[in-house]
Amino acid sequence: MNFDELQKQWNNQSSDDVQINKESLHKTNSIISQVNKNIKYELIFWIFCMMFLLIVPYIESYKIVGTSAFFYYFILFQIFICSLTYYRKFYLFNKSTKENDSFKSKENVLKMYYDLKFAVETYRSSCYFLIPQSVAIFFIVFSYGKSEEYFYQLINFRETLITNPILIIGILVIGIIAIAFLIIFTEWMIKQYYGKHLKQLKDLLNEFDS
């Protein structure tokens, strides 16, 4: 779902500034607090992963040198820049929830819901965009110094398929498994960390209308 669609949904909602009771206020605060905690935990995990990936080429057993090292860090830089995109959205969401009147009315809660929804959709899009880069990093790391050789063989696909079909089949199978795993893991992460809380906010907004 893109920004225009989210904006359209927002415009279709009631603009009545309905004050919410203490029970609903507590529920909203609890949901948003958990979302902000998840953002914080994921950011810490992301920093740890990036730091680890930075030092991987220095681990001798992986044999990431020369051209392979250059492409490794180039891909890692792409991952870093793309990750900043969705973490910026989460930062802005977190910042907006710190405002004094964030939880006082239905209109404010509705705004938080769509801010979070937009941040999550940006997160999902970025994660899917990063799947090829993640597979490339995996390929370089676990080829143990043979990534350039394997890459050239993949370029000469027809010839390699005749002379070394096992290599082609192996790379395709591993690539498909890796992509499938990353897609499943991404959707699981979104559901566990943000999706279920989005649903809770939506249910709470429906309670205001009942």
Side-chain angles (χ1 to χ4, degrees):
M1 181 178 295
N2 58 35
F3 177 76
D4 291 336
E5 290 173 330
L6 290 175
Q7 188 66 42
K8 184 178 179 181
Q9 288 189 24
W10 167 263
N11 292 334
N12 288 336
Q13 300 298 318
S14 171
S15 60
D16 297 334
D17 194 17
V18 180
Q19 299 298 311
I20 60 177
N21 58 42
K22 289 184 178 180
E23 182 181 354
S24 296
L25 186 66
H26 175 74
K27 287 181 181 179
T28 305
N29 191 26
S30 177
I31 294 168
I32 298 301
S33 294
Q34 187 58 54
V35 170
N36 286 333
K37 283 181 182 178
N38 289 345
I39 293 172
K40 179 181 176 181
Y41 294 152
E42 186 177 344
L43 179 60
I44 292 171
F45 178 71
W46 176 80
I47 292 172
F48 174 80
C49 288
M50 292 300 294
M51 290 176 64
F52 174 73
L53 289 172
L54 280 171
I55 65 171
V56 164
Y58 293 95
I59 301 174
E60 190 175 347
S61 60
Y62 290 118
K63 301 177 182 179
I64 303 174
V65 295
T67 305
S68 295
F70 171 79
F71 281 108
Y72 177 90
Y73 282 115
F74 178 73
I75 294 168
L76 194 60
F77 178 73
Q78 287 184 315
I79 292 174
F80 174 77
I81 294 299
C82 190
S83 298
L84 290 181
T85 302
Y86 61 79
Y87 278 121
R88 179 178 177 275
K89 297 296 182 185
F90 281 137
Y91 168 76
L92 293 174
F93 170 78
N94 181 277
K95 185 179 179 181
S96 70
T97 63
K98 305 300 182 183
E99 297 174 2
N100 293 331
D101 60 348
S102 295
F103 305 99
K104 290 183 179 180
S105 68
K106 176 189 173 182
E107 185 178 39
N108 289 340
V109 176
L110 189 63
K111 181 180 182 301
M112 282 193 294
Y113 170 79
Y114 281 105
D115 284 346
L116 179 58
K117 190 169 187 177
F118 184 44
V120 171
E121 290 302 325
T122 302
Y123 176 73
R124 175 182 275 109
S125 299
S126 298
C127 286
Y128 276 93
F129 176 79
L130 288 174
I131 285 176
Q133 285 87 337
S134 301
V135 172
I137 287 282
F138 177 87
F139 175 75
I140 293 172
V141 171
F142 291 102
S143 62
Y144 296 101
K146 295 184 177 181
S147 58
E148 292 180 55
E149 177 186 338
Y150 292 153
F151 178 72
Y152 287 126
Q153 290 190 58
L154 281 173
I155 291 177
N156 300 303
F157 180 82
R158 290 184 179 180
E159 182 181 340
T160 306
L161 188 61
I162 296 171
T163 58
N164 193 1
I166 294 177
L167 175 65
I168 297 296
I169 294 171
I171 290 175
L172 288 175
V173 169
I174 293 171
I176 291 170
I177 292 173
I179 291 171
F181 170 79
L182 288 170
I183 291 173
I184 293 170
F185 181 73
T186 295
E187 291 299 329
W188 179 84
M189 281 282 293
I190 291 171
K191 182 179 179 180
Q192 290 296 119
Y193 274 63
Y194 309 110
K196 64 181 181 182
H197 301 300
L198 263 175
K199 185 178 184 302
Q200 289 171 349
L201 271 181
K202 185 64 175 177
D203 291 341
L204 193 60
L205 286 165
N206 290 335
E207 288 180 15
F208 296 159
D209 295 328
S210 60

